[in-house]
């Protein structure tokens, strides 16, 4: 499974016409009803706005076995250019790096998967988001309750 996140700022001061056109193309691609790479979908229920960051985080996913179809869709939409930065984690960042270079002329920046996971958890804690919870396996089958994890002190989060 391939998961994609895209951050869009609320305000776009100082953009030239080329940047505006590219942002509009990306927004059209993200908000379209077409599946990403034949099997993908937008996870609208997981998307969120963050005033501290000054924008919205969009989330999408698709089956990685359809990577070539996804790349063709991206190529046809012309949403990538020489300034596009793509960051990836996990095995897919290595497995598909050559394909991204060949088909889209993109260099993938590989990031440590565990480090990104820890950063994401800390991000959720610091924003006081109700996205982190624990499940009591002994009672989950009968009550189905999730217990949200209270955010620790900011100085107690993992660096």
């Amino acid at each position: 499974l391939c998961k994609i996140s895209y951050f869009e700022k609320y305000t776009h001061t100082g953009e030239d016409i080329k940047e505006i056109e590219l942002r509009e193309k990306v927004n059209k691609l993200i908000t379209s009803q077409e599946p990403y790479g034949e099997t993908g979908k937008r996870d609208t229920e997981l998307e969120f706005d963050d005033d501290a960051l000054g924008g919205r985080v969009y989330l999408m996913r698709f089956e990685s076995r359809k990577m070539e179809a996804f790349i063709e869709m991206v190529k046809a939409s012309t949403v990538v250019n020489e300034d596009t930065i793509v960051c990836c984690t996990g095995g897919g960042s290595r497995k598909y790096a050559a394909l991204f270079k060949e088909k889209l002329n993109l260099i993938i920046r590989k990031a440590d998967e565990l480090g990104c996971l820890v950063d994401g958890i800390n991000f959720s804690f610091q924003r006081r988001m109700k996205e982190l919870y624990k499940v009591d396996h002994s009672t989950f089958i009968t009550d189905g309750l999730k217990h949200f994890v209270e955010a620790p002190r900011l100085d107690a989060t993992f660096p």
Side-chain angles (χ1 to χ4, degrees):
L1 192 63
C2 180
K3 296 157 292 281
I4 301 170
S5 61
Y6 173 75
F7 175 73
E8 182 180 28
K9 296 184 291 186
Y10 292 140
T11 57
H12 306 280
T13 55
E15 286 185 327
D16 63 25
I17 190 71
K18 187 177 172 184
E19 292 169 320
I20 292 169
E21 288 172 354
L22 180 61
R23 182 172 39 81
E24 288 172 352
K25 285 181 190 178
V26 169
N27 197 303
K28 182 179 176 185
L29 178 67
I30 289 172
T31 59
S32 84
Q33 298 302 313
E34 295 293 316
Y36 308 109
E38 297 176 10
T39 62
K41 69 172 236 147
R42 186 170 150 211
D43 288 322
T44 54
E45 66 280 359
L46 298 175
E47 295 172 1
F48 60 94
D49 293 290
D50 190 292
D51 291 335
L53 292 176
R56 180 167 185 80
V57 176
Y58 294 92
L59 301 161
M60 291 92 34
R61 61 186 158 98
F62 67 93
E63 296 175 31
S64 51
R65 68 185 176 90
K66 298 289 187 171
M67 183 64 72
E68 289 198 39
F70 172 77
I71 288 174
E72 289 304 318
M73 180 197 67
V74 170
K75 188 175 185 177
S77 70
T78 64
V79 296
V80 296
N81 62 28
E82 65 278 357
D83 298 324
T84 303
I85 298 171
V86 176
C87 301
C88 299
T89 65
S93 65
R94 287 159 187 71
K95 182 176 181 177
Y96 298 110
L99 191 61
F100 271 77
K101 177 67 177 157
E102 174 191 335
K103 301 280 187 177
L104 299 172
N105 198 30
L106 286 177
I107 304 294
I108 290 184
R109 290 189 185 170
K110 298 169 186 80
D112 177 63
E113 192 166 15
L114 187 56
C116 289
L117 176 64
V118 170
D119 288 345
I121 291 170
N122 283 335
F123 175 85
S124 294
F125 273 146
Q126 292 168 358
R127 302 288 182 296
R128 307 276 188 225
M129 299 167 76
K130 289 235 172 201
E131 297 296 329
L132 302 173
Y133 57 88
K134 61 183 177 179
V135 174
D136 182 345
H137 293 285
S138 64
T139 61
F140 184 71
I141 293 173
T142 57
D143 67 17
L145 295 177
K146 296 185 265 187
H147 307 281
F148 290 98
V149 176
E150 290 300 317
R153 296 182 334 269
L154 292 182
D155 63 346
T157 57
F158 190 78

